Amino acid sequence: MAFSPKHLLGIEYLSPTDIITILDLAETYVQLNRKEQKQGGALSGMTQINMFFENSTRTLASFELAGKRLGADVMSLAVGASSIKKGETLIDTAMTLNAMNPDLLVVRHPQSGAVNLLAEKVNCAVLNAGDGRHEHPTQALLDALTIRRAKGRLHRLNVAICGDIAHSRVARSNIFLLNKMENRIRLIGPQTLMPSGINKFGVEVYEDMNEGLKDVDVVMMLRLQNERMDGAFIPSKREYYYRWGLTAEKLAKAKKDAIVMHPGPMNRGVEIDGDIADDINRSVIQEQVEMGVAVRMASMDLLAQGLRTHRTKLANI
Ligand code: NCD
């Protein structure tokens, strides 16, 4: 099936067919990743550079493994937050790396829009690994694959996204994806953590968790993004947990077979009760991590196929 995007910058720019193409290919990588021999050759001979201007554990590890399993030469650069000087520095760094002829550039940056800007300047395929509060496309894709596997479908589901929506790129990307696939989305959280212009998102908004969770199929929890808050958005952590933390009592309002998700890293006892996070009958948090590697392999495989086709065309001109 044709997959035409040159970069993976956000779910906003993908069609439902693009999304399904990535997820279907990811399924084959889930199988490969469960074998002892995990090598695939889709990126053989290619160079992948991971440029992370913000801390990351699972996303960086996941992209690194994904590239290595597909046979790429992978280099990861952790650029400390303190060394960011915005704008020019980012582009300068990118241009320097671009001169080394990478094929794939995976970028995480604290400023919204930074990765789109960078993609305009380089010759390779760029994957957004999270930019500010804008988008985190591979997270939404791995969430979608997890949901599809648990629920058997990715449409007409009631999905609650709970907590710090305003500062969350995970929420934004998931809202785009779940809307494109025709699901019903509820956003639950304090008014102070709802983005402005929320009415444009095609969602229902709830402040009361007990009301919002009623009969949902999927409960997606979010971390409080303290690093993106410039003031007090919540009364106290204790109060927040009392009203918006996921407890067994609140979860009982959802459907009996509702799944619980969290992108990690989790603050146990702040946004989610530790026992629920560990409950293998409800929580799919570990599956999300597993799906993350497969989805990143599929995304890079498809972008690499596009690169090869483009290069062949150029060579024949
Ligand atoms: C998320 C991120 O970085 O946006 N984490 C992740 O990628 N696993 C969510 C978060 O930091 O809360």
Side-chain angles (χ1 to χ4, degrees):
M1 203 175 284
F3 181 87
S4 58
K6 273 202 253 162
H7 307 289
L8 184 59
L9 299 176
I11 300 294
E12 189 179 0
Y13 321 110
L14 299 181
S15 68
T17 314
D18 292 334
I19 293 167
I20 298 296
T21 305
I22 299 173
L23 300 188
D24 288 350
L25 182 58
E27 280 291 350
T28 68
Y29 284 125
V30 174
Q31 301 313 322
L32 181 73
N33 287 337
R34 287 181 180 174
K35 294 189 179 147
E36 192 183 284
Q37 293 300 323
K38 298 177 178 62
Q39 276 84 17
L43 301 183
S44 161
M46 290 193 164
T47 299
Q48 171 193 337
I49 301 182
N50 302 325
M51 233 187 355
F52 278 58
F53 292 87
E54 216 183 57
N55 290 340
S56 169
T57 312
R58 72 209 75 214
T59 307
L60 179 58
S62 184
F63 267 112
E64 216 174 293
L65 266 186
K68 286 182 172 158
R69 288 189 183 163
L70 293 180
D73 284 324
V74 185
M75 189 180 85
S76 292
L77 273 179
V79 194
S82 59
S83 69
I84 301 172
K85 295 214 185 72
K86 300 178 190 173
E88 281 223 326
T89 306
L90 164 74
I91 301 302
D92 280 348
T93 314
M95 292 315 286
T96 307
L97 294 172
N98 189 48
M100 300 181 194
N101 298 317
D103 302 284
L104 297 142
L105 208 50
V106 181
V107 188
R108 170 169 283 196
H109 198 278
Q111 282 180 291
S112 308
V115 186
N116 288 48
L117 183 69
L118 188 144
E120 289 171 14
K121 313 273 178 192
V122 296
N123 309 322
C124 56
V126 176
L127 291 100
N128 183 359
D131 64 324
R133 57 177 85 176
H134 176 226
E135 280 240 31
H136 191 353
T138 54
Q139 179 69 44
L141 288 161
L142 76 86
D143 289 340
L145 187 58
T146 309
I147 294 173
R148 194 172 79 167
R149 294 184 125 235
K151 295 280 144 207
R153 66 180 200 273
L154 189 57
H155 59 274
R156 296 185 60 189
L157 293 165
N158 283 318
V159 183
I161 306 180
C162 315
D164 184 359
I165 317 278
H167 300 100
S168 175
R169 52 199 178 205
V170 175
R172 268 181 72 88
S173 290
N174 266 299
I175 292 169
F176 280 128
L177 192 149
L178 293 165
N179 260 334
K180 281 177 198 247
M181 305 314 287
E182 299 183 3
N183 295 282
R184 285 182 68 174
I185 307 170
R186 299 183 192 171
L187 304 184
I188 313 174
Q191 270 174 15
T192 47
L193 293 176
M194 286 293 161
S196 54
I198 193 73
N199 304 331
K200 291 180 301 206
F201 286 88
V203 294
E204 292 166 38
V205 180
Y206 292 85
E207 198 168 14
D208 183 335
M209 193 110 176
N210 289 306
E211 247 177 71
L213 287 182
K214 213 161 161 269
D215 294 329
V216 298
D217 301 285
V218 177
V219 184
M220 193 180 284
M221 301 307 299
L222 300 169
R223 183 177 65 87
L224 277 175
Q225 308 267 307
N226 291 310
E227 71 277 24
R228 283 184 238 292
M229 296 183 194
D230 48 5
F233 284 78
I234 56 163
S236 72
K237 284 193 174 154
R238 221 171 119 175
E239 169 85 4
Y240 183 85
Y241 183 64
Y242 176 70
R243 295 190 61 187
W244 293 286
L246 187 64
T247 56
E249 205 188 356
K250 292 185 196 123
L251 182 58
K253 304 286 189 301
K255 283 197 184 144
K256 270 205 201 68
D257 61 352
I259 54 168
V260 174
M261 310 180 76
H262 194 301
M266 269 185 287
N267 294 304
R268 289 167 186 260
V270 179
E271 68 253 357
I272 188 165
D273 174 77
D275 288 343
I276 292 182
D278 298 333
D279 180 352
I280 52 165
N281 295 313
R282 305 307 295 267
S283 162
V284 293
I285 295 171
Q286 295 306 319
E287 278 90 333
Q288 286 175 272
V289 178
E290 184 187 5
M291 295 310 123
V293 180
V295 149
R296 288 168 181 128
M297 289 167 86
S299 307
M300 292 197 288
D301 179 343
L302 289 165
L303 291 174
Q305 286 179 35
L307 269 180
R308 285 199 190 96
T309 313
H310 177 69
R311 287 171 183 165
T312 313
K313 272 191 202 147
L314 281 184
N316 290 335
I317 287 175

